[in-house]
PDB file of all heavy atoms in Angstrom:
ATOM      1  N   ILE A 660     -21.497  15.695   3.021  1.00 98.00           N
ATOM      2  CA  ILE A 660     -21.711  14.666   4.027  1.00 98.00           C
ATOM      3  C   ILE A 660     -21.928  15.397   5.264  1.00 98.00           C
ATOM      4  O   ILE A 660     -21.010  16.156   5.738  1.00 98.00           O
ATOM      5  CB  ILE A 660     -20.657  13.632   4.095  1.00 98.00           C
ATOM      6  CG1 ILE A 660     -20.430  12.896   2.789  1.00 98.00           C
ATOM      7  CG2 ILE A 660     -20.985  12.536   5.128  1.00 98.00           C
ATOM      8  CD1 ILE A 660     -19.178  12.029   2.623  1.00 98.00           C
ATOM      9  N   GLU A 661     -23.092  15.134   6.055  1.00 97.00           N
ATOM     10  CA  GLU A 661     -23.267  15.588   7.354  1.00 97.00           C
ATOM     11  C   GLU A 661     -23.912  14.447   8.109  1.00 97.00           C
ATOM     12  O   GLU A 661     -24.530  13.505   7.609  1.00 97.00           O
ATOM     13  CB  GLU A 661     -23.960  16.876   7.486  1.00 97.00           C
ATOM     14  CG  GLU A 661     -25.348  16.806   6.875  1.00 97.00           C
ATOM     15  CD  GLU A 661     -26.155  18.149   6.926  1.00 97.00           C
ATOM     16  OE1 GLU A 661     -25.680  19.029   6.224  1.00 97.00           O
ATOM     17  OE2 GLU A 661     -27.192  18.186   7.580  1.00 97.00           O
ATOM     18  N   SER A 662     -23.961  14.550   9.472  1.00 97.00           N
ATOM     19  CA  SER A 662     -24.516  13.584  10.212  1.00 97.00           C
ATOM     20  C   SER A 662     -26.045  13.446   9.926  1.00 97.00           C
ATOM     21  O   SER A 662     -26.713  14.517   9.878  1.00 97.00           O
ATOM     22  CB  SER A 662     -24.297  13.813  11.748  1.00 97.00           C
ATOM     23  OG  SER A 662     -22.972  13.720  12.060  1.00 97.00           O
ATOM     24  N   GLY A 663     -26.413  12.218   9.786  1.00 96.00           N
ATOM     25  CA  GLY A 663     -27.932  11.994   9.717  1.00 96.00           C
ATOM     26  C   GLY A 663     -28.407  12.053   8.336  1.00 96.00           C
ATOM     27  O   GLY A 663     -29.549  11.834   7.957  1.00 96.00           O
ATOM     28  N   ASP A 664     -27.538  12.391   7.268  1.00 96.00           N
ATOM     29  CA  ASP A 664     -28.016  12.425   5.913  1.00 96.00           C
ATOM     30  C   ASP A 664     -27.896  11.050   5.273  1.00 96.00           C
ATOM     31  O   ASP A 664     -27.441  10.015   5.922  1.00 96.00           O
ATOM     32  CB  ASP A 664     -27.254  13.535   5.097  1.00 96.00           C
ATOM     33  CG  ASP A 664     -25.814  13.190   4.868  1.00 96.00           C
ATOM     34  OD1 ASP A 664     -25.311  12.057   5.071  1.00 96.00           O
ATOM     35  OD2 ASP A 664     -25.144  14.072   4.432  1.00 96.00           O
ATOM     36  N   ALA A 665     -28.153  10.849   3.959  1.00 95.00           N
ATOM     37  CA  ALA A 665     -28.291   9.637   3.235  1.00 95.00           C
ATOM     38  C   ALA A 665     -26.875   8.936   3.214  1.00 95.00           C
ATOM     39  O   ALA A 665     -26.823   7.644   2.942  1.00 95.00           O
ATOM     40  CB  ALA A 665     -28.872   9.702   1.867  1.00 95.00           C
ATOM     41  N   SER A 666     -25.825   9.718   3.403  1.00 96.00           N
ATOM     42  CA  SER A 666     -24.458   8.939   3.262  1.00 96.00           C
ATOM     43  C   SER A 666     -24.228   7.917   4.345  1.00 96.00           C
ATOM     44  O   SER A 666     -23.363   7.131   4.137  1.00 96.00           O
ATOM     45  CB  SER A 666     -23.382  10.046   3.286  1.00 96.00           C
ATOM     46  OG  SER A 666     -23.532  10.958   2.222  1.00 96.00           O
ATOM     47  N   GLY A 667     -24.936   8.069   5.447  1.00 95.00           N
ATOM     48  CA  GLY A 667     -24.877   6.961   6.472  1.00 95.00           C
ATOM     49  C   GLY A 667     -24.319   7.243   7.770  1.00 95.00           C
ATOM     50  O   GLY A 667     -24.556   6.528   8.741  1.00 95.00           O
ATOM     51  N   ILE A 668     -23.765   8.482   8.060  1.00 97.00           N
ATOM     52  CA  ILE A 668     -23.244   8.709   9.347  1.00 97.00           C
ATOM     53  C   ILE A 668     -24.465   8.923  10.397  1.00 97.00           C
ATOM     54  O   ILE A 668     -25.339   9.739   9.988  1.00 97.00           O
ATOM     55  CB  ILE A 668     -22.436  10.014   9.400  1.00 97.00           C
ATOM     56  CG1 ILE A 668     -21.082   9.722   8.530  1.00 97.00           C
ATOM     57  CG2 ILE A 668     -21.966  10.413  10.855  1.00 97.00           C
ATOM     58  CD1 ILE A 668     -20.218  10.926   8.412  1.00 97.00           C
ATOM     59  N   PRO A 669     -24.566   8.098  11.298  1.00 96.00           N
ATOM     60  CA  PRO A 669     -25.728   8.115  12.145  1.00 96.00           C
ATOM     61  C   PRO A 669     -25.879   9.377  13.036  1.00 96.00           C
ATOM     62  O   PRO A 669     -25.020  10.127  13.264  1.00 96.00           O
ATOM     63  CB  PRO A 669     -25.589   6.852  13.087  1.00 96.00           C
ATOM     64  CG  PRO A 669     -24.021   6.613  13.197  1.00 96.00           C
ATOM     65  CD  PRO A 669     -23.608   7.148  11.782  1.00 96.00           C
ATOM     66  N   GLY A 670     -27.152   9.553  13.571  1.00 94.00           N
ATOM     67  CA  GLY A 670     -27.533  10.619  14.417  1.00 94.00           C
ATOM     68  C   GLY A 670     -27.785  11.825  13.704  1.00 94.00           C
ATOM     69  O   GLY A 670     -28.110  11.856  12.514  1.00 94.00           O
ATOM     70  N   THR A 671     -27.775  12.987  14.425  1.00 96.00           N
ATOM     71  CA  THR A 671     -28.051  14.239  13.879  1.00 96.00           C
ATOM     72  C   THR A 671     -26.829  15.172  14.226  1.00 96.00           C
ATOM     73  O   THR A 671     -26.036  14.896  15.103  1.00 96.00           O
ATOM     74  CB  THR A 671     -29.200  14.887  14.553  1.00 96.00           C
ATOM     75  OG1 THR A 671     -29.050  14.895  16.000  1.00 96.00           O
ATOM     76  CG2 THR A 671     -30.503  14.023  14.249  1.00 96.00           C
ATOM     77  N   PRO A 672     -26.707  16.348  13.467  1.00 97.00           N
ATOM     78  CA  PRO A 672     -25.596  17.288  13.801  1.00 97.00           C
ATOM     79  C   PRO A 672     -25.566  17.631  15.243  1.00 97.00           C
ATOM     80  O   PRO A 672     -26.600  17.932  15.871  1.00 97.00           O
ATOM     81  CB  PRO A 672     -25.860  18.429  12.865  1.00 97.00           C
ATOM     82  CG  PRO A 672     -26.603  17.765  11.635  1.00 97.00           C
ATOM     83  CD  PRO A 672     -27.530  16.771  12.212  1.00 97.00           C
ATOM     84  N   THR A 673     -24.326  17.488  15.859  1.00 97.00           N
ATOM     85  CA  THR A 673     -24.203  17.880  17.314  1.00 97.00           C
ATOM     86  C   THR A 673     -23.216  18.942  17.399  1.00 97.00           C
ATOM     87  O   THR A 673     -22.101  18.831  16.807  1.00 97.00           O
ATOM     88  CB  THR A 673     -23.733  16.398  17.973  1.00 97.00           C
ATOM     89  OG1 THR A 673     -24.727  15.461  17.686  1.00 97.00           O
ATOM     90  CG2 THR A 673     -23.627  16.684  19.516  1.00 97.00           C
ATOM     91  N   ALA A 674     -23.446  19.755  18.339  1.00 97.00           N
ATOM     92  CA  ALA A 674     -22.467  20.858  18.616  1.00 97.00           C
ATOM     93  C   ALA A 674     -21.148  20.390  18.954  1.00 97.00           C
ATOM     94  O   ALA A 674     -20.969  19.440  19.806  1.00 97.00           O
ATOM     95  CB  ALA A 674     -23.009  21.861  19.678  1.00 97.00           C
ATOM     96  N   ASN A 675     -20.019  20.911  18.513  1.00 97.00           N
ATOM     97  CA  ASN A 675     -18.696  20.538  18.755  1.00 97.00           C
ATOM     98  C   ASN A 675     -18.275  19.165  18.485  1.00 97.00           C
ATOM     99  O   ASN A 675     -17.211  18.721  18.835  1.00 97.00           O
ATOM    100  CB  ASN A 675     -18.392  20.857  20.236  1.00 97.00           C
ATOM    101  CG  ASN A 675     -18.590  22.305  20.615  1.00 97.00           C
ATOM    102  OD1 ASN A 675     -17.999  23.225  19.889  1.00 97.00           O
ATOM    103  ND2 ASN A 675     -19.290  22.590  21.609  1.00 97.00           N
ATOM    104  N   ALA A 676     -19.078  18.459  17.515  1.00 97.00           N
ATOM    105  CA  ALA A 676     -18.719  17.103  17.148  1.00 97.00           C
ATOM    106  C   ALA A 676     -17.504  17.291  16.145  1.00 97.00           C
ATOM    107  O   ALA A 676     -16.727  16.261  16.050  1.00 97.00           O
ATOM    108  CB  ALA A 676     -19.838  16.348  16.497  1.00 97.00           C
ATOM    109  N   GLN A 677     -17.428  18.294  15.436  1.00 98.00           N
ATOM    110  CA  GLN A 677     -16.322  18.597  14.490  1.00 98.00           C
ATOM    111  C   GLN A 677     -16.115  17.481  13.491  1.00 98.00           C
ATOM    112  O   GLN A 677     -15.106  16.971  13.109  1.00 98.00           O
ATOM    113  CB  GLN A 677     -14.978  18.876  15.204  1.00 98.00           C
ATOM    114  CG  GLN A 677     -15.104  20.066  16.183  1.00 98.00           C
ATOM    115  CD  GLN A 677     -13.720  20.325  16.860  1.00 98.00           C
ATOM    116  OE1 GLN A 677     -12.813  20.582  16.296  1.00 98.00           O
ATOM    117  NE2 GLN A 677     -13.795  20.409  18.230  1.00 98.00           N
ATOM    118  N   LEU A 678     -17.195  17.056  12.884  1.00 98.00           N
ATOM    119  CA  LEU A 678     -17.132  16.079  11.789  1.00 98.00           C
ATOM    120  C   LEU A 678     -16.157  16.492  10.767  1.00 98.00           C
ATOM    121  O   LEU A 678     -16.251  17.780  10.203  1.00 98.00           O
ATOM    122  CB  LEU A 678     -18.651  15.820  11.208  1.00 98.00           C
ATOM    123  CG  LEU A 678     -18.671  14.942   9.950  1.00 98.00           C
ATOM    124  CD1 LEU A 678     -18.317  13.514  10.374  1.00 98.00           C
ATOM    125  CD2 LEU A 678     -20.075  14.966   9.388  1.00 98.00           C
ATOM    126  N   GLY A 679     -15.371  15.709  10.211  1.00 98.00           N
ATOM    127  CA  GLY A 679     -14.341  16.060   9.340  1.00 98.00           C
ATOM    128  C   GLY A 679     -12.944  16.279   9.894  1.00 98.00           C
ATOM    129  O   GLY A 679     -11.967  16.489   9.114  1.00 98.00           O
ATOM    130  N   ALA A 680     -12.793  16.186  11.204  1.00 98.00           N
ATOM    131  CA  ALA A 680     -11.526  16.413  11.895  1.00 98.00           C
ATOM    132  C   ALA A 680     -10.687  15.206  11.729  1.00 98.00           C
ATOM    133  O   ALA A 680      -9.458  15.214  11.868  1.00 98.00           O
ATOM    134  CB  ALA A 680     -11.760  16.725  13.368  1.00 98.00           C
ATOM    135  N   SER A 681     -11.264  14.001  11.480  1.00 98.00           N
ATOM    136  CA  SER A 681     -10.455  12.732  11.213  1.00 98.00           C
ATOM    137  C   SER A 681     -11.069  12.008  10.048  1.00 98.00           C
ATOM    138  O   SER A 681     -12.203  11.635   9.947  1.00 98.00           O
ATOM    139  CB  SER A 681     -10.630  11.920  12.466  1.00 98.00           C
ATOM    140  OG  SER A 681     -10.073  10.575  12.333  1.00 98.00           O
ATOM    141  N   LEU A 682     -10.206  11.876   9.026  1.00 98.00           N
ATOM    142  CA  LEU A 682     -10.621  11.336   7.730  1.00 98.00           C
ATOM    143  C   LEU A 682      -9.449  10.427   7.169  1.00 98.00           C
ATOM    144  O   LEU A 682      -8.248  10.856   7.275  1.00 98.00           O
ATOM    145  CB  LEU A 682     -10.892  12.327   6.760  1.00 98.00           C
ATOM    146  CG  LEU A 682     -12.030  13.460   6.966  1.00 98.00           C
ATOM    147  CD1 LEU A 682     -12.011  14.421   5.926  1.00 98.00           C
ATOM    148  CD2 LEU A 682     -13.358  12.700   6.990  1.00 98.00           C
ATOM    149  N   HIS A 683      -9.775   9.358   6.563  1.00 98.00           N
ATOM    150  CA  HIS A 683      -8.827   8.645   5.829  1.00 98.00           C
ATOM    151  C   HIS A 683      -9.504   7.731   4.776  1.00 98.00           C
ATOM    152  O   HIS A 683     -10.333   6.936   4.991  1.00 98.00           O
ATOM    153  CB  HIS A 683      -8.031   7.597   6.842  1.00 98.00           C
ATOM    154  CG  HIS A 683      -7.074   6.840   6.050  1.00 98.00           C
ATOM    155  ND1 HIS A 683      -5.942   7.354   5.491  1.00 98.00           N
ATOM    156  CD2 HIS A 683      -6.981   5.486   5.849  1.00 98.00           C
ATOM    157  CE1 HIS A 683      -5.173   6.457   4.940  1.00 98.00           C
ATOM    158  NE2 HIS A 683      -5.739   5.248   5.135  1.00 98.00           N
ATOM    159  N   PHE A 684      -9.073   7.932   3.548  1.00 97.00           N
ATOM    160  CA  PHE A 684      -9.602   7.226   2.436  1.00 97.00           C
ATOM    161  C   PHE A 684      -8.784   5.883   2.275  1.00 97.00           C
ATOM    162  O   PHE A 684      -7.579   5.780   2.549  1.00 97.00           O
ATOM    163  CB  PHE A 684      -9.205   7.968   1.072  1.00 97.00           C
ATOM    164  CG  PHE A 684     -10.527   8.537   0.444  1.00 97.00           C
ATOM    165  CD1 PHE A 684     -10.592   9.865   0.080  1.00 97.00           C
ATOM    166  CD2 PHE A 684     -11.707   7.817   0.375  1.00 97.00           C
ATOM    167  CE1 PHE A 684     -11.724  10.450  -0.498  1.00 97.00           C
ATOM    168  CE2 PHE A 684     -12.827   8.358  -0.340  1.00 97.00           C
ATOM    169  CZ  PHE A 684     -12.872   9.673  -0.634  1.00 97.00           C
ATOM    170  N   THR A 685      -9.460   4.788   1.960  1.00 94.00           N
ATOM    171  CA  THR A 685      -8.860   3.531   1.522  1.00 94.00           C
ATOM    172  C   THR A 685      -9.417   3.345   0.128  1.00 94.00           C
ATOM    173  O   THR A 685     -10.266   4.086  -0.398  1.00 94.00           O
ATOM    174  CB  THR A 685      -9.241   2.388   2.382  1.00 94.00           C
ATOM    175  OG1 THR A 685     -10.678   2.017   2.231  1.00 94.00           O
ATOM    176  CG2 THR A 685      -9.060   2.760   3.967  1.00 94.00           C
ATOM    177  N   THR A 686      -8.948   2.204  -0.478  1.00 91.00           N
ATOM    178  CA  THR A 686      -9.568   1.929  -1.856  1.00 91.00           C
ATOM    179  C   THR A 686     -10.934   1.479  -1.746  1.00 91.00           C
ATOM    180  O   THR A 686     -11.630   1.325  -2.727  1.00 91.00           O
ATOM    181  CB  THR A 686      -8.633   0.878  -2.507  1.00 91.00           C
ATOM    182  OG1 THR A 686      -8.522  -0.291  -1.773  1.00 91.00           O
ATOM    183  CG2 THR A 686      -7.150   1.429  -2.666  1.00 91.00           C
ATOM    184  N   THR A 687     -11.411   1.045  -0.595  1.00 91.00           N
ATOM    185  CA  THR A 687     -12.798   0.624  -0.486  1.00 91.00           C
ATOM    186  C   THR A 687     -13.794   1.650   0.144  1.00 91.00           C
ATOM    187  O   THR A 687     -15.012   1.464  -0.076  1.00 91.00           O
ATOM    188  CB  THR A 687     -12.780  -0.605   0.394  1.00 91.00           C
ATOM    189  OG1 THR A 687     -12.331  -0.343   1.711  1.00 91.00           O
ATOM    190  CG2 THR A 687     -11.949  -1.778  -0.169  1.00 91.00           C
ATOM    191  N   GLY A 688     -13.303   2.635   0.673  1.00 96.00           N
ATOM    192  CA  GLY A 688     -14.214   3.585   1.216  1.00 96.00           C
ATOM    193  C   GLY A 688     -13.528   4.688   2.019  1.00 96.00           C
ATOM    194  O   GLY A 688     -12.405   4.890   2.041  1.00 96.00           O
TER     195      GLY A 688
END
Side-chain angles (χ1 to χ4, degrees):
I660 302 169
E661 63 183 60
S662 295
D664 67 12
S666 296
I668 295 175
T671 57
T673 303
N675 298 310
Q677 299 182 56
L678 176 65
S681 172
L682 299 172
H683 180 66
F684 255 131
T685 74
T686 57
T687 59

